[in-house]
Amino acid sequence: MADDVQVVPEMKTAVSEKNKEKAERFKNDGNEAFKNGHYSDAVTMYTNAIEWDPSVAVYYGNRSFAYLREELYGAALEDATTAIKLDPKYIKGYYRRAASLMALGKLKQALKDFETVTKRVPSDKDAKLKLNECQKLYKQKQFEWAIRSDDKSTSVFDTVDPTTIVVEDSYTGPRLIDGKVTEDFMQQLIPHFKDQKPLHRKYALEILLQIRDYFKAAPSMVEIPVPEKSKFSVCGDIHGQYYDLCNIFDLNGLPSTENPYLFNGDFVDRGSFSIECIFTLFGFKLLYPNHFFLARGNHETDNMNSIYGFRGEVKAKYSDQMYDVFTEVFNLLPLSHLINKKVLVMHGGLFSKPDVTIEDIRHIDRNRQPPDSGLMCEILWSDPQDQLGLKASKRGVAFEFGPDVTENFCKLNNIDYVIRSHEVKPEGYEVSHNGRCITVFSAPNYCDTIGNLGALIIFTGGDLTPKFVTFKAVPHPNVAAMSYASSMFRMLGG
């Protein structure tokens, strides 16, 4: 991604009073939808307002805010920039642009916009607070970058030794026997977590050490053979919603050699029970390594974890050092899975280049934080679109790809269809691109506010036709989503 903010041409359009009135009505409808948390509807209303009167900065600023809430940071940035171009005195435009830039990791540019606000409105205490927070975050990231080592031969695990950690007599939770995850351990772990009790640090580190070693030896693309009459289940985003994860197991059965699963990324962030989710998933992976599969999502990355809660949750429940351990493990998660050589599963989507093959995916160097472009970025971030071809994503990262792109990819690689996650859907799933692209999202009532269903996909090895199971959210303890989010996230609503 280019670091330069897009410059939008000046708009000089004569607008009739009748059109202005229509635009205002749409804006008011958009404000009502936004207030009720219906951000997609708000975007539609603000878009209608802009179509009737494209000269009003507030319409773009409001749509930018709605895009921010939908995490479409590229579109939010573009609208905020347009608003500022239309009205350089529109202070909220600078707020919106700063928030968009921060979400895209461009803290230095965000600082400039906060500085602009504080200079123009010196009495704005909120602007000063956000400027100070942004400065702290920028300095923190600069420091982390300065001390970061590219030497993959060194490991944070070198600084921890679970064998030296003493388990107190007061600990009543599940214990690893001889360091091994067993069926009995998992049967104890799930209710232990449901009771909001922590897994002891010793066992947490032992699990992370074992899962690190396992994924270190795994390829970037894992092939999964499913026998002809065997059932196989694919789940999408979980996002720290532990009690909904447990509900999946209640509805569809616990993982076992006869009941295999693939969880397709975004295990953590947003929901406030990410620790419980990730240790449950890692535990089942160690218990059933050939029948339980995990793929990396765009939220198994440091940038996302630092904003959307996982880093804060790990720090609150364990330590900063434990977070560094998780970061190293997440870097090793596979990026995709190929089921019976006919169904490709990855978190985000397809690619901007028309000639990407399964072999190319197999050879992606994944042991790192994702770059801003290229195959690794796109497989984690891309989304399907209804239109033909490609266009830059509204997220500000990767691309949106059309049905022709999917068709070409499937034919080139001789596969039936692709499964991806990454996007909340009202019914928990969506079939698009003439059945060649399926989205599955398994976090119902996302962030305790969206009201969507969750879904999972079931098929058998002999019949890869997907069957969908949908489910509602279940109650959880009174800990709100985003409880562990960073100050940066709170600034995104500025």
Side-chain angles (χ1 to χ4, degrees):
M1 295 182 299
D3 285 340
D4 295 334
V5 174
Q6 178 181 352
V7 178
V8 179
E10 186 176 357
M11 299 178 184
K12 295 181 180 179
T13 306
V15 180
S16 68
E17 289 301 317
K18 185 177 180 180
N19 285 5
K20 289 181 180 179
E21 290 176 4
K22 289 181 178 178
E24 274 296 298
R25 285 200 295 271
F26 278 119
K27 182 205 76 173
N28 293 336
D29 289 343
N31 290 348
E32 187 66 22
F34 187 98
K35 184 174 68 175
N36 293 323
H38 302 148
Y39 304 123
S40 180
D41 292 340
V43 166
T44 300
M45 294 299 105
Y46 295 140
T47 299
N48 290 338
I50 289 167
E51 288 174 353
W52 285 107
D53 185 355
S55 65
V56 179
V58 171
Y59 300 163
Y60 294 92
N62 286 6
R63 190 170 70 174
S64 177
F65 200 5
Y67 277 139
L68 278 169
R69 290 298 174 87
E70 289 197 296
E71 299 181 31
L72 300 176
Y73 302 125
L77 175 59
E78 184 175 346
D79 271 357
T81 302
T82 301
I84 293 167
K85 181 69 176 178
L86 287 168
D87 182 2
K89 296 181 180 179
Y90 179 52
I91 295 300
K92 286 187 177 179
Y94 295 96
Y95 269 119
R96 305 289 182 256
R97 189 165 72 179
S100 305
L101 289 165
M102 289 181 68
L104 292 168
K106 300 178 180 180
L107 299 180
K108 188 174 183 180
Q109 289 175 272
L111 275 173
K112 293 180 181 178
D113 279 336
F114 283 132
E115 288 169 351
T116 297
V117 175
T118 55
K119 287 177 182 177
R120 294 188 181 183
V121 191
S123 60
D124 190 332
K125 294 181 180 179
D126 183 61
K128 289 181 180 178
L129 177 64
K130 290 183 175 179
L131 173 62
N132 290 336
E133 285 294 320
C134 191
Q135 286 173 334
K136 290 178 185 177
L137 290 166
Y138 178 65
K139 290 178 181 177
Q140 176 185 327
K141 288 296 180 184
Q142 289 292 99
F143 174 73
E144 290 174 356
W145 180 260
I147 64 173
R148 180 175 292 163
S149 172
D150 291 327
D151 182 5
K152 294 178 183 178
S153 66
T154 63
S155 169
V156 66
F157 284 94
D158 296 337
T159 66
V160 296
D161 182 2
T163 63
T164 66
I165 299 173
V166 176
V167 179
E168 301 82 1
D169 292 339
S170 59
Y171 176 71
T172 59
R175 298 169 181 252
L176 296 177
I177 305 301
D178 297 326
K180 295 187 180 300
V181 173
T182 62
E183 187 176 333
D184 183 61
F185 175 85
M186 294 305 300
Q187 288 176 347
Q188 291 182 51
L189 182 66
I190 291 174
H192 184 75
F193 277 158
K194 279 187 174 181
D195 289 340
Q196 300 184 75
K197 297 176 181 177
L199 177 65
H200 196 279
R201 177 171 170 266
K202 175 184 179 69
Y203 305 127
L205 286 170
E206 285 183 344
I207 286 174
L208 289 171
L209 179 61
Q210 291 176 45
I211 207 77
R212 187 278 305 260
D213 291 344
Y214 182 89
F215 284 132
K216 198 172 184 179
S220 290
M221 188 191 74
V222 176
E223 294 206 38
I224 305 174
V226 181
E228 184 174 351
K229 295 184 180 180
S230 295
K231 170 187 172 183
F232 193 85
S233 303
V234 179
C235 298
D237 304 43
I238 297 299
H239 277 298
Q241 297 184 197
Y242 183 67
Y243 296 83
D244 293 307
L245 172 62
C246 293
N247 187 46
I248 289 174
F249 296 146
D250 289 340
L251 293 171
N252 195 50
L254 284 170
S256 68
T257 54
E258 292 75 33
N259 192 29
Y261 281 86
L262 164 58
F263 282 82
N264 195 30
D266 281 12
F267 320 122
V268 302
D269 279 341
R270 292 212 167 266
S272 295
F273 304 95
S274 292
I275 281 287
E276 291 78 2
C277 286
I278 197 64
F279 278 123
T280 298
L281 294 172
F282 281 171
F284 277 124
K285 178 61 182 175
L286 292 173
L287 182 58
Y288 304 115
N290 298 317
H291 297 86
F292 194 85
F293 303 91
L294 301 171
R296 190 177 190 176
N298 65 301
H299 276 266
E300 278 71 56
T301 58
D302 182 52
N303 278 346
M304 295 293 102
N305 295 161
S306 295
I307 299 173
Y308 292 103
F310 186 61
R311 184 173 194 166
E313 184 178 343
V314 177
K315 182 178 180 179
K317 295 179 179 179
Y318 289 103
S319 66
D320 283 330
Q321 183 189 51
M322 184 76 86
Y323 174 74
D324 293 336
V325 171
F326 271 110
T327 298
E328 185 171 321
V329 170
F330 286 168
N331 282 351
L332 296 168
L333 283 166
L335 298 177
S336 63
H337 293 79
L338 183 63
I339 300 171
N340 284 3
K341 300 187 183 297
K342 285 297 182 180
V343 178
L344 181 68
V345 188
M346 66 284 186
H347 180 73
L350 297 180
F351 310 97
S352 56
K353 293 182 178 180
D355 56 353
V356 176
T357 66
I358 296 295
E359 263 323 283
D360 294 325
I361 298 171
R362 200 188 310 274
H363 290 100
I364 294 174
D365 176 16
R366 73 186 189 280
N367 186 10
R368 54 181 171 154
Q369 292 299 303
D372 288 341
S373 61
L375 298 188
M376 184 175 179
C377 171
E378 291 167 8
I379 205 169
L380 294 175
W381 280 96
S382 288
D383 296 298
Q385 63 174 5
D386 293 334
Q387 297 84 2
L388 297 176
L390 292 160
K391 70 176 181 182
S393 174
K394 291 179 181 178
R395 297 177 188 268
V397 184
F399 294 88
E400 296 177 14
F401 57 96
D404 54 327
V405 176
T406 305
E407 184 71 20
N408 175 72
F409 180 85
C410 289
K411 286 184 176 179
L412 178 65
N413 290 283
N414 192 30
I415 62 174
D416 293 344
Y417 59 92
V418 298
I419 296 175
R420 41 91 60 186
S421 301
H422 195 40
E423 288 182 283
V424 61
K425 298 295 178 183
E427 299 302 314
Y429 72 95
E430 182 178 81
V431 181
S432 58
H433 295 186
N434 303 310
R436 294 280 211 176
C437 181
I438 297 173
T439 298
V440 60
F441 191 88
S442 303
N445 194 26
Y446 182 43
C447 295
D448 296 335
T449 59
I450 302 301
N452 61 290
L453 295 175
L456 61 90
I457 299 171
I458 299 173
F459 48 72
T460 62
D463 179 8
L464 295 176
T465 302
K467 299 174 180 63
F468 302 97
V469 177
T470 62
F471 46 89
K472 295 181 179 180
V474 297
H476 64 72
N478 190 26
V479 184
M482 303 303 300
S483 292
Y484 297 100
S486 74
S487 58
M488 184 187 292
F489 173 80
R490 290 187 283 276
M491 293 169 71
L492 297 186

